[in-house]
Amino acid sequence: MALLERAVVLLMMVAALQVSYAAVHKVGDSSGWTTIGNIDYKKWATTKNFQIGDTIIFAYNAQFHNVMRVTHAMYKSCNASSPMTTFTSGNDSIKISNYGHHFFICGAPGHCQAGQKVDINVLNVSAASPTKSPSAVASPVPPANTPAPSPNNAASLIVEKGAIGVLGLAMAVLALSFSSYAY
């Protein structure tokens, strides 16, 4: 029975480690999703390391703005005529469930053209893979409906997270093995 208890505790610890990797990102940070203040959403996005499981929050005044998920072509041309999805609550939470580019624009007239658009890029980088040089991973922008990862410096962060997870797992195993001496 003690072995079963230890196994359950170990599984719970591993699950907790996996859940702790998800992050919440508020688009535009304290400014939110707006045209006021000349926020550079492209710059904002490049400072983040988006992962599957992360939540992206769009906070905005619903009387003046919305959030539309669009294709790459629609993003580039600020075409809001047929979005994949439209959000209008003023406080939209979107959970990232796949790798690649996720393109969002504001569909209010002139807002996308004024810079109210963001490309959330989730890299498909294995925790075990080494960091590559920028020239080795450079690639062109994918076609409109084909999301693909693009380079940035996320690989080193992911490797660190993976190493911390392995260290935590090793500590849990050691703690469980030494706990048998307490009986």
Side-chain angles (χ1 to χ4, degrees), residues 94-119:
I94 301 166
K95 187 166 185 161
I96 300 298
S97 60
N98 60 314
Y99 295 109
H101 293 270
H102 303 268
F103 299 104
F104 299 94
I105 65 172
C106 179
H111 290 201
C112 178
Q113 292 84 347
Q116 196 175 2
K117 62 183 189 175
V118 66
D119 173 5

Side-chain angles (χ1 to χ4, degrees), residues 72-87:
H72 182 246
M74 294 171 74
Y75 173 84
K76 283 178 60 177
S77 65
C78 289
N79 178 352
S81 63
S82 56
M84 296 159 58
T85 310
T86 301
F87 303 92

Side-chain angles (χ1 to χ4, degrees), residues 138-142 149:
S139 62
V141 175

Side-chain angles (χ1 to χ4, degrees), residues 22-25 27 49-58 69 93-104 119-123:
V24 176
H25 303 279
V27 176
N49 290 305
F50 300 107
Q51 305 291 318
I52 288 181
D54 286 359
T55 300
I56 309 301
I57 296 176
F58 288 86
R69 180 155 187 205
S93 294
I94 301 166
K95 187 166 185 161
I96 300 298
S97 60
N98 60 314
Y99 295 109
H101 293 270
H102 303 268
F103 299 104
F104 299 94
D119 173 5
I120 304 295
N121 188 14
V122 182
L123 298 176

Side-chain angles (χ1 to χ4, degrees), residues 7-22:
V8 169
V9 168
L10 180 61
L11 287 174
M12 289 173 52
M13 293 175 87
V14 169
L17 284 171
Q18 293 301 318
V19 171
S20 67
Y21 288 161

